[in-house]
Amino acid sequence: MERQRSFSVKSTRFLVFSFTISFFLIFITFFSIWVVKSTPSISIYQQTHIQLNQSVFNLTLKPFTVQSLTDLKDFQREKNDTEVRDNEVNKPTIGTGMERAPAVAPSIEIEIQSEERIEEKKKKKTRAATVEKIEIQLPSNNQQIQKKEIGTNSVRKIEEKRTRGCDITKGRWVYDESYPLYTNSSCPFIDEGFNCMSNGRLDKDYMKWKWQPQECDIPRFNATKMLESIRGKRLVFVGDSVNRNQWESMLCMLMGAVKDPKKVYETHGRRITKEKGNYSFKFVDYKCTVEYYVSHFLVHEGKARVGQKRVQTLRIDSMDRGTSRWRGADILIFNTAHWWSHYKTKAGINYYQEGGQVLPRLDVSTAFRRALMTWASWVDKNIKPSKTQVFFRNSAPSHFRGGQWNSGGHCREATRPLNKTSSFIYPEKNVIAEEVIKQMKTHVTLLNITNLSEYRIEGHPSIYGKKPDKRFSSNSEDCSHWCLPGVPDTWNELLYFHLQSKQHEYNN
């Protein structure tokens, strides 16, 4: 029994082993046959798919390249958009990554060719743009000649042109620590009425405001240049005490360029006071004079008989008798306005005279116009424009509050400029002066300082127009004139600007 069981087990194992060997041999045989038969078809399949993929890549990548470079119009013409879309629809899409691999080389070749053409196109466009730019920038012959004439002065001339077209009367006051242009101690020519600091004024901000026009800059006053421009000449101020205010300012500003103060003196040995009306200061090193002649109205102040009385009159048809002193001046600065607001001139009763007749009554505006026409006629007849530059400074505003100069008006509480002047009305006398100047044959430059001075309520002497021991001898304050240094310095900077502009215009 044991032998039979052993034999049975062995025969079963043998059968299983034989069956496995046979199955393996059969599998190997069939697999070898399949491999041999399938090898050509795989090659053909791969070749077919390579060609297909090349075609798909060619057709697909070309539109991509064109879309990314839309500025190349010639390249767009090579393939019609409709034909490209039809080819994309009919061709099979790319499948796996193995299928894309053979198609990389052709697509790179196309991209390289496209980049070469792109670079060529870019170079052409760059050359065309350069030529166009050169054509735009190249001036005409006349422009080239003009540029040569400008030369190194082109920047300065452009700046002058910009400044000439600028309205310097419109702007604002800017606090500037570099001001004032002089001090009370450096200028011995400030009379008591304008020397606010010496009279006890403690705040100093009123001296540090600079006028800044809206559309341009005016040059800072240069004393050396100003003296050089008037070398050997006469600079003459004619008018009321406000013009004396400006004249004193000019003397002080010019002293900044004087090395030896002893070489500046009054030719008659006079000391500046309110009483004396005529002054001529000589600057020895520059052989020039800076002069002032009082003339409240520019026309003749006299007396005439009215009934049994001799009364003061104003000859509005006859010039001031001091005209012989002004005639030879090289620069003349006139003004009149301050005294036309006094009681007699405003009332106009038995005051204005024409010829031998004293007019019983005449409106002050009419009288002012006739007086200015008399002045204008004298200028046209006696001033040679080739020698003399003529200026007319319009009225400087007063800032009395609570009354007039003789009725308790004051401005002592003001320490800063006004923020706005909305209630300011341009004076009628300024309008009349401008109308008369426009009718003159002689060119007269209007020195318009009214609006810019209107902001400077704090610039007046107020109670500091007198020494402390004299301050309370009268209740009146001075809110008409101006402290020095102060606002009149700006008037002279505007005068300097006009003179420099005229000098440049003459040289060119």
Side-chain angles (χ1 to χ4, degrees):
M1 292 296 290
E2 292 176 358
R3 288 180 180 177
Q4 289 179 352
R5 190 178 298 160
S6 175
F7 175 79
S8 175
V9 172
K10 290 180 180 178
S11 61
T12 302
R13 289 178 179 175
F14 176 78
L15 288 173
V16 171
F17 177 76
S18 300
F19 178 78
T20 301
I21 293 298
S22 301
F23 180 80
F24 180 76
L25 292 173
I26 294 169
F27 175 79
I28 290 298
T29 302
F30 278 98
F31 180 79
S32 300
I33 294 170
W34 180 79
V35 170
V36 172
K37 289 182 178 181
S38 63
T39 299
S41 63
I42 291 174
S43 177
I44 294 170
Y45 176 80
Q46 288 180 346
Q47 184 178 358
T48 303
H49 274 264
I50 288 172
Q51 292 175 353
L52 178 62
N53 290 336
Q54 289 175 358
S55 177
V56 172
F57 262 90
N58 289 340
L59 292 174
T60 306
L61 290 176
K62 281 184 179 180
F64 174 80
T65 306
V66 172
Q67 288 178 355
S68 65
L69 300 166
T70 55
D71 58 333
L72 299 178
K73 296 181 179 180
D74 293 337
F75 192 80
Q76 285 179 334
R77 294 193 190 100
E78 292 180 1
K79 291 292 181 181
N80 183 275
D81 292 339
T82 305
E83 182 180 355
V84 171
R85 285 195 296 270
D86 292 341
N87 289 335
E88 287 179 340
V89 172
N90 294 332
K91 295 294 181 180
T93 58
I94 300 175
T96 65
M98 289 180 65
E99 294 169 351
R100 284 198 299 269
V104 172
S107 66
I108 291 175
E109 181 181 355
I110 293 173
E111 198 164 337
I112 291 173
Q113 292 175 356
S114 299
E115 288 296 332
E116 289 175 354
R117 297 187 65 183
I118 291 166
E119 288 300 322
E120 185 179 353
K121 296 286 184 181
K122 285 184 177 180
K123 287 179 181 179
K124 288 181 180 179
K125 284 194 172 184
T126 303
R127 287 194 297 270
T130 304
V131 171
E132 183 180 0
K133 186 176 181 181
I134 292 171
E135 289 176 353
I136 292 172
Q137 291 181 346
L138 283 177
S140 64
N141 293 334
N142 292 335
Q143 290 173 328
Q144 287 177 342
I145 294 170
Q146 185 179 2
K147 285 187 177 181
K148 288 179 181 178
E149 290 175 349
I150 291 174
T152 57
N153 297 325
S154 58
V155 175
R156 176 176 59 82
K157 289 188 176 182
I158 290 171
E159 184 63 27
E160 288 172 11
K161 183 178 180 180
R162 189 175 72 88
T163 307
R164 282 199 298 270
C166 170
D167 186 353
I168 60 175
T169 66
K170 294 181 180 179
R172 60 193 179 95
W173 289 96
V174 179
Y175 190 84
D176 191 332
E177 278 289 351
S178 67
Y179 280 75
L181 300 173
Y182 59 92
T183 62
N184 297 71
S185 58
S186 67
C187 182
F189 306 129
I190 306 174
D191 75 64
E192 180 184 346
F194 310 143
N195 203 338
C196 301
M197 185 176 292
S198 295
N199 294 339
R201 183 167 181 171
L202 298 178
D203 64 296
K204 298 178 177 61
D205 284 354
Y206 69 93
M207 298 185 290
K208 294 184 175 294
W209 293 96
K210 170 189 173 183
W211 179 248
Q212 177 60 59
Q214 291 178 353
E215 302 173 353
C216 61
D217 294 322
I218 57 175
R220 186 182 178 92
F221 186 87
N222 187 310
T224 302
K225 283 187 176 181
M226 183 64 183
L227 282 170
E228 286 293 347
S229 68
I230 62 172
R231 180 182 288 275
K233 298 179 180 179
R234 295 177 60 203
L235 173 61
V236 177
F237 292 79
V238 180
D240 56 31
S241 56
V242 181
N243 232 24
R244 178 167 57 86
N245 211 168
Q246 184 179 356
W247 168 73
E248 289 184 24
S249 164
M250 177 61 76
L251 285 176
C252 292
M253 292 169 77
L254 292 176
M255 287 297 291
V258 174
K259 296 179 180 179
D260 186 359
K262 293 181 180 180
K263 291 187 176 182
V264 179
Y265 59 88
E266 209 284 320
T267 55
H268 299 95
R270 295 172 179 168
R271 179 175 170 269
I272 300 174
T273 65
K274 290 183 179 179
E275 286 74 28
K276 300 295 180 180
N278 302 318
Y279 301 94
S280 176
F281 275 81
K282 187 173 185 65
F283 288 74
V284 176
D285 290 339
Y286 294 90
K287 300 178 181 179
C288 64
T289 55
V290 181
E291 308 167 34
Y292 166 72
Y293 299 99
V294 63
S295 181
H296 300 135
F297 302 97
L298 299 182
V299 291
H300 178 57
E301 296 179 74
K303 290 185 177 181
R305 186 173 295 279
V306 177
Q308 299 298 319
K309 297 181 179 180
R310 278 182 70 84
V311 297
Q312 289 183 331
T313 62
L314 188 64
R315 290 280 304 270
I316 56 178
D317 62 340
S318 177
M319 280 294 287
D320 189 298
R321 291 180 178 176
T323 56
S324 60
R325 298 169 178 168
W326 321 334
R327 188 175 289 116
D330 297 277
I331 302 169
L332 271 169
I333 301 98
F334 291 100
N335 98 295
T336 182
H338 189 54
W339 283 60
W340 290 88
S341 60
H342 289 189
Y343 172 74
K344 285 184 179 181
T345 52
K346 289 180 69 176
I349 300 174
N350 292 325
Y351 181 64
Y352 297 113
Q353 181 180 356
E354 289 182 321
Q357 181 184 5
V358 177
L359 304 177
R361 192 179 192 92
L362 185 66
D363 176 72
V364 64
S365 296
T366 303
F368 182 75
R369 183 183 292 276
R370 292 183 187 178
L372 278 189
M373 290 176 67
T374 300
W375 164 80
S377 177
W378 179 88
V379 170
D380 284 340
K381 290 178 181 179
N382 295 277
I383 297 299
K384 295 179 180 179
S386 59
K387 175 179 173 56
T388 306
Q389 294 183 59
V390 183
F391 293 84
F392 186 91
R393 180 181 58 75
N394 60 9
S395 63
S398 298
H399 289 96
F400 289 102
R401 292 180 175 180
Q404 292 301 312
W405 66 276
N406 57 353
S407 60
H410 62 87
C411 54
R412 59 181 172 273
E413 72 280 3
T415 58
R416 293 182 65 83
L418 295 171
N419 291 327
K420 58 181 180 178
T421 58
S422 56
S423 60
F424 173 68
I425 300 174
Y426 196 64
E428 182 186 12
K429 294 182 182 65
N430 284 0
V431 176
I432 294 172
E434 291 175 13
E435 291 174 353
V436 171
I437 288 172
K438 288 179 181 178
Q439 297 173 0
M440 295 176 65
K441 296 178 182 179
T442 307
H443 176 73
V444 175
T445 301
L446 179 69
L447 199 61
N448 190 345
I449 55 87
T450 306
N451 290 351
L452 62 92
S453 303
E454 181 65 28
Y455 293 93
R456 298 301 305 276
I457 186 174
E458 92 300 355
H460 301 286
S462 183
I463 62 173
Y464 302 106
K466 301 174 182 178
K467 294 291 184 183
D469 57 338
K470 302 177 183 178
R471 189 173 299 167
F472 300 104
S473 61
S474 173
N475 292 328
S476 64
E477 292 185 21
D478 187 353
C479 301
S480 296
H481 298 94
W482 305 86
C483 296
L484 294 179
V487 175
D489 302 335
T490 297
W491 305 347
N492 283 323
E493 284 198 290
L494 298 182
L495 174 63
Y496 172 75
F497 162 75
H498 285 296
L499 289 171
Q500 291 296 309
S501 299
K502 189 71 175 179
Q503 183 73 25
H504 290 314
E505 183 180 336
Y506 177 78
N507 291 336
N508 297 323

